[in-house]
Amino acid sequence: AVGVAGDIGGDIIHYTIGRWGGLPLLRRWGPKIGIQVNHLDSVKRHFTAHSVKAIVVAKLTHGMGMAALLLAGATEMPFWKFVLSNVVPSLPKTLGLVMVGYFFGSAYEQISGYIDSASVVIVIVAAAAGAAWFVRSRLPRRLRKHGSPAAR
């Protein structure tokens, strides 16, 4: 019950942000979370026509969740319809995650080292990519296009 409440509570926050900011918020910040602005009007029409299905699918897939929750608010999906369509997929999803923890939790010690190693690698790769982006963004435009002056 606590897992479902936490899941739905977070989703209500996303819904509220979408409801408060509306489509202008999605037009401005949507590209940063995977919403293509040039498709926003057609997505809005489709979402309005199939809002419950969209919420259920988004809740069961990790890639579309935030965008669909924001769209639910931005398209002014009725709040209680949103909550009910949110509870339906949250129950089996949360139960599934609890079952995975119950059955495989004892293997945590065994796989913890692998998770820690993978986390370190991910942080190093992200830091290197961030440093490369930072250095590249500070180079003068002529160097980015034509290479170093010594190479000419």
Side-chain angles (χ1 to χ4, degrees):
V2 173
V4 173
D7 187 28
I8 293 170
D11 294 348
I12 288 172
I13 291 171
H14 286 99
Y15 172 88
T16 304
I17 292 169
R19 187 75 179 238
W20 171 73
L23 291 176
L25 176 81
L26 294 180
R27 288 189 201 292
R28 180 171 181 189
W29 296 102
K32 296 187 185 309
I33 60 168
I35 298 173
Q36 296 180 10
V37 175
N38 56 338
H39 297 288
L40 197 54
D41 292 329
S42 64
V43 168
K44 179 186 174 191
R45 283 191 302 277
H46 181 77
F47 190 88
T48 301
H50 305 284
S51 57
V52 173
K53 288 186 268 187
I55 293 294
V56 170
V57 169
K59 290 290 294 177
L60 295 176
T61 58
H62 288 289
M64 299 179 354
M66 183 190 302
L69 299 171
L70 291 170
L71 271 168
T75 58
E76 299 180 1
M77 180 180 187
F79 180 74
W80 290 110
K81 182 178 179 182
F82 168 77
V83 170
L84 291 174
S85 63
N86 211 335
V87 168
V88 171
S90 288
L91 289 170
K93 179 180 174 181
T94 303
L95 178 62
L97 291 172
V98 167
M99 297 303 287
V100 166
Y102 179 78
F103 288 113
F104 298 106
S106 61
Y108 174 76
E109 292 294 327
Q110 188 176 10
I111 63 172
S112 177
Y114 297 117
I115 292 172
D116 290 344
S117 299
S119 298
V120 168
V121 169
I122 290 169
V123 167
I124 290 171
V125 169
W133 171 83
F134 180 78
V135 169
R136 181 162 166 66
S137 69
R138 297 296 186 250
L139 287 176
R141 178 170 270 158
R142 65 183 175 80
L143 289 179
R144 285 187 273 167
K145 287 185 177 180
H146 304 292
S148 69
R152 290 189 244 159

